Structures are given as structure tokens and as C-alpha cells.
């Protein structure tokens, strides 16, 4: 095929000869991932390229998740909520004891031991047998959130129980308070309550560390802010319970605590969702999305109600109930989001690719 044939139209518009390509416009390059540099019919924006690569469909071998969802059920989010409620109640009880608020102190001590008992029952039910919890005490491993959390609970529980026992003794008729070891139980009330308050913040926060230490994408992606969310949520819930059970003239400090806890929870949730990237999507969809929207609305309403709760017992009770329900929805919402993220390979693959792009290729040195 000659060049003359190519020019006269006897051959195709583009031809290959011994001298190279004939009929190809100068400076025309093939574009990888586009329509080959060719123009389509119709107007096209200058410099625009249409990708021929379809959107990624994240799948895995045999349709199974890359990360296996945790086998936990509703026992675990219930354990998360009641554990935080117990911790916050111990803090309130200690403060009420030091400032002369007996009704609020009683509410905090009894609520702490009751919530802790429910929390431990939910945990043991999920584990299947109480011996598994006891076996965790055979060793102490600082790099394991589960081991550290087990020891924190084991140290917190006896002090919370002793403070509650002293409160029960104080409710007995006078002639019974001096029988047997009961006077000793009464004397240990304040020291035990203060020690329980000392361990309360780790009790409220360690469950968030436990979740974020897993490979579940939405839990792991929230590792920076989730402990603050849980601490704020626990403070708001415990303060809400105090607003429900104690008279309004004793609840001034807990109303301020409720507002501060709610603001901490809402603020850190907002920051958490921004820092999580794509793994924050499950927090806005499905069951988890509904729970998180309810949590935010209830927490905001409860925080606003604290402004009027000092004037009305009914408003105080309603605000306290909203705060407690909001805290529970937060725990269940975070739990459901994590389970949803584990089922979808997208939330495992995309963060890994983003980390590789930030860090660059891995180089191995011999």
C-alpha cells in the first residue's frame, strides 16, 4: 500500500505502511481510560474526558465479607449503655455526697450498682458462661483492651457495691443500723464512693477503645473520637437519671453536667463523622442511621430542657428521659453501623487504598 493510494482515498483513512502510520493527525495520543482520544458526536467540553472504566463494584470471593462481622448481639450494646450509666452515676453520687445532697447521692449509688449488675449480666450472657470472664483475670495484658477493661470493671465493681450497701444501711430503721457489721458498712460509704468515682471515667471510655481496636471498619475508623462520644453520652445519661429521681433543688450540678455531656457527645460525633471518611456512611443509612438520628434529636432536646428543668419537675423528668434514650440510641447506632460496615467490602477496601495513596508504595530493603 503506497502513500499515493492513501492520499487519494483508495485505502482506509488510517493505514500502516513501511514508513509508519499514514493519515493520523499530528500530536494525537491515546488516552488510557478514555474513549481512545476520539471525539464523540455532539458538543463536548474542552479538555473533558469520558472514562470507559465503570464504577467499582466491591465484591469478595464467593460473595463473603472481607471482614467477618462480630458475633455480638443486642447484649453488647446494652452492656455498653448500662456500663456508661453506672460510671456516670458513681461520679454524681460522689459529688452529691461531698456537697450534702442525700437524695441525689442515693440515686447515684443505687443506680450505679443496678446498672453495673445489668451490664455484667448482659456481658456474661453474651459470653455464654461466667467462667470466661473469670478466666480473663488470670493474666493482665496492657496491650489488650479486653484484658484492661476486665480489670477496670473488677476494681470498680466492689467499690460501687460497697457504696450502695452503705446507702441501703442508711435506709434501715435506727435500731438495725448498729447490728453486726452494719456500722462498718456505713462508715465505708464515702471512701468506697470516692474510689468508685475514681474508676468511673475508665469504665465509661474503655468500651469505645474495645470497639475501635477491632478490624470492623466503622468502629476502627472512629478510634480517635469514639471514647469522647461515649464519655459524653454516659455523663448525659447519668445526669438525666439524676434529674428524674432527685428533687429539683438538688439537681443543679447534674443539669449542668447533662448539658456539658450532651454538647460533648454531639460535638465529638460531628467531628468523628468528618474524620472517618467513607466508613462514616453506615452511620447515616439503614437501622444505624435511624438510631443515630434519633440519638441526636433526643440528646439535643434533653440538653435544651435542662434550661427549664430547675423550675419544673415534669420538665426535668422529660429532659432526663430524653437524655437517657438518646444515650441508648447512640450505643445501639454505633453498634449497628459497625456490623453494617463489616458486611460491605467497600468499607474495607476503600480505606486501605486511601492509606496506600497517602503513604506511597511500600519499599522493601534487603
Amino acid at each position: 500500500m503506497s502513500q499515493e493510494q492513501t492520499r487519494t482515498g483508495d485505502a482506509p483513512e488510517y493505514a500502516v505502511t513501511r514508513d509508519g502510520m499514514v493519515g493520523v493527525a499530528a500530536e494525537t495520543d491515546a488516552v488510557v481510560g478514555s474513549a481512545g482520544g476520539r471525539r464523540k458526536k455532539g458538543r463536548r467540553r474542552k479538555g473533558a474526558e469520558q472514562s470507559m472504566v465503570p464504577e467499582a463494584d466491591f465484591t469478595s470471593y464467593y460473595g463473603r465479607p472481607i471482614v467477618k462481622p462480630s458475633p455480638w448481639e443486642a447484649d453488647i450494646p446494652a452492656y455498653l449503655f448500662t456500663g456508661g450509666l453506672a460510671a456516670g452515676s458513681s461520679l454524681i453520687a460522689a459529688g452529691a455526697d461531698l456537697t450534702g445532697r442525700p437524695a441525689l447521692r442515693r440515686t447515684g449509688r443505687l443506680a450505679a450498682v443496678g446498672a453495673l449488675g445489668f451490664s455484667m449480666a448482659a456481658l456474661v450472657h453474651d459470653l455464654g458462661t461466667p467462667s470466661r470472664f473469670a478466666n480473663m483475670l488470670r493474666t493482665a495484658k496492657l496491650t489488650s483492651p479486653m484484658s484492661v477493661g476486665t480489670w477496670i470493671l473488677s476494681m470498680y465493681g466492689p467499690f460501687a457495691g460497697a457504696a450502695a450497701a452503705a446507702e441501703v444501711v442508711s435506709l434501715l430503721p435506727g435500731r438495725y443500723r448498729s447490728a453486726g457489721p452494719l456500722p462498718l458498712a456505713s462508715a465505708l460509704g464515702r471512701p468506697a464512693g470516692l474510689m468508685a468515682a475514681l474508676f468511673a471515667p475508665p469504665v465509661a471510655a474503655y468500651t469505645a477503645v474495645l470497639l475501635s481496636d477491632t478490624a470492623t471498619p466503622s468502629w476502627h475508623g472512629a478510634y480517635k473520637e469514639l471514647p469522647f462520644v461515649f464519655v459524653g453520652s454516659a455523663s448525659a445519661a447519668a445526669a438525666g437519671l439524676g434529674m428524674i429521681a432527685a428533687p429539683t433543688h438538688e439537681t443543679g450540678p447534674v443539669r449542668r453536667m447533662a448539658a456539658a455531656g450532651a454538647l460533648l457527645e454531639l460535638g465529638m460525633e460531628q467531628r468523628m463523622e468528618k474524620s472517618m471518611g467513607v466508613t462514616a456512611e453506615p452511620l447515616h443509612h439503614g437501622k444505624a442511621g435511624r438510631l443515630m438520628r434519633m440519638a441526636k434529636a433526643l440528646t439535643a432536646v434533653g440538653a435544651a430542657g435542662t434550661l427549664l428543668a430547675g423550675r419544673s419537675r415534669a420538665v426535668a423528668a422529660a429532659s432526663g428521659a430524653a437524655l437517657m434514650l438518646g444515650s441508648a440510641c447512640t450505643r445501639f447506632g454505633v453498634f449497628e453501623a459497625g456490623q453494617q460496615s463489616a458486611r460491605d467490602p467497600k468499607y474495607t477496601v476503600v480505606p486501605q487504598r486511601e492509606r496506600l495513596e497517602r503513604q506511597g508504595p511500600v519499599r522493601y530493603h534487603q
Side-chain angles (χ1 to χ4, degrees):
M1 183 181 298
S2 65
Q3 295 182 9
E4 288 78 7
Q5 288 175 321
T6 303
R7 295 191 187 98
T8 59
D10 296 334
E13 181 182 358
Y14 302 107
V16 180
T17 68
R18 289 177 296 179
D19 298 326
M21 294 288 295
V22 177
V24 179
E27 299 181 358
T28 299
D29 298 326
V31 181
V32 178
S34 70
R38 293 172 294 180
R39 294 183 180 272
K40 293 188 176 183
K41 293 182 179 180
R43 300 183 63 182
R44 185 178 178 186
R45 192 172 48 178
K46 183 178 181 180
E49 296 177 357
Q50 183 177 359
S51 175
M52 295 181 64
V53 180
E55 292 293 331
D57 184 15
F58 295 96
T59 59
S60 57
Y61 290 110
Y62 306 109
R64 295 182 178 181
I66 297 175
V67 175
K68 186 177 180 180
S70 72
W72 298 336
E73 298 181 358
D75 294 332
I76 294 302
Y79 154 72
L80 301 177
F81 167 67
T82 51
L85 179 62
S89 296
S90 289
L91 280 173
I92 290 173
D97 186 27
L98 294 175
T99 57
R101 292 177 168 85
L104 186 59
R105 180 199 66 205
R106 184 178 303 116
T107 297
R109 287 179 176 179
L110 297 180
V113 74
L116 179 64
F118 187 93
S119 177
M120 295 301 296
L123 178 60
V124 170
H125 183 266
D126 181 79
L127 292 174
T129 174
S131 61
R132 293 183 177 178
F133 181 85
N135 289 337
M136 293 293 295
L137 299 175
R138 298 170 66 179
T139 60
K141 189 175 182 181
L142 296 179
T143 56
S144 169
M146 178 66 77
S147 178
V148 173
T150 303
W151 279 99
I152 290 173
L153 281 177
S154 299
M155 291 184 287
Y156 165 76
F159 291 118
E167 202 60 50
V168 172
V169 170
S170 69
L171 297 175
L172 297 175
R175 63 179 181 274
Y176 296 111
R177 295 178 192 173
S178 58
L182 296 185
L184 178 61
S186 298
L188 292 177
R190 174 168 290 185
L194 293 176
M195 290 301 297
L198 180 64
F199 286 104
V203 170
Y206 97 90
T207 51
V209 179
L210 178 64
L211 291 181
S212 59
D213 193 55
T214 67
T216 302
S218 290
W219 295 343
H220 185 71
Y223 74 97
K224 292 181 180 179
E225 296 86 6
L226 192 59
F228 296 97
V229 173
F230 275 19
V231 168
S233 179
S235 302
L241 180 59
M243 291 165 60
I244 294 173
T248 55
H249 67 272
E250 291 190 8
T251 58
V254 295
R255 293 197 298 271
R256 293 188 288 272
M257 179 178 176
L263 290 175
L264 176 63
E265 178 185 355
L266 294 174
M268 294 309 294
E269 276 183 11
Q270 189 73 15
R271 181 172 178 179
M272 178 181 74
E273 292 175 7
K274 291 181 179 179
S275 69
M276 288 172 64
V278 70
T279 59
E281 289 182 2
L283 292 169
H284 303 280
H285 302 291
K287 184 178 180 180
R290 292 191 297 271
L291 287 167
M292 293 303 294
R293 287 190 292 271
M294 289 176 59
K296 292 177 181 178
L298 288 167
T299 301
V301 169
T306 60
L307 301 176
L308 302 175
R311 303 175 184 177
S312 170
R313 183 67 182 272
V315 174
S319 300
L323 290 169
M324 292 185 68
L325 288 173
S327 178
C329 287
T330 296
R331 300 305 206 285
F332 278 83
V334 169
F335 175 79
E336 291 294 338
Q339 296 291 73
Q340 182 178 332
S341 70
R343 298 186 189 101
D344 192 337
K346 169 185 176 181
Y347 301 114
T348 301
V349 175
V350 172
Q352 290 178 348
R353 290 180 176 176
E354 291 176 347
R355 284 193 293 270
L356 288 175
E357 290 176 359
R358 291 194 302 266
Q359 298 172 0
V362 179
R363 297 180 180 180
Y364 297 95
H365 301 280
Q366 295 182 352

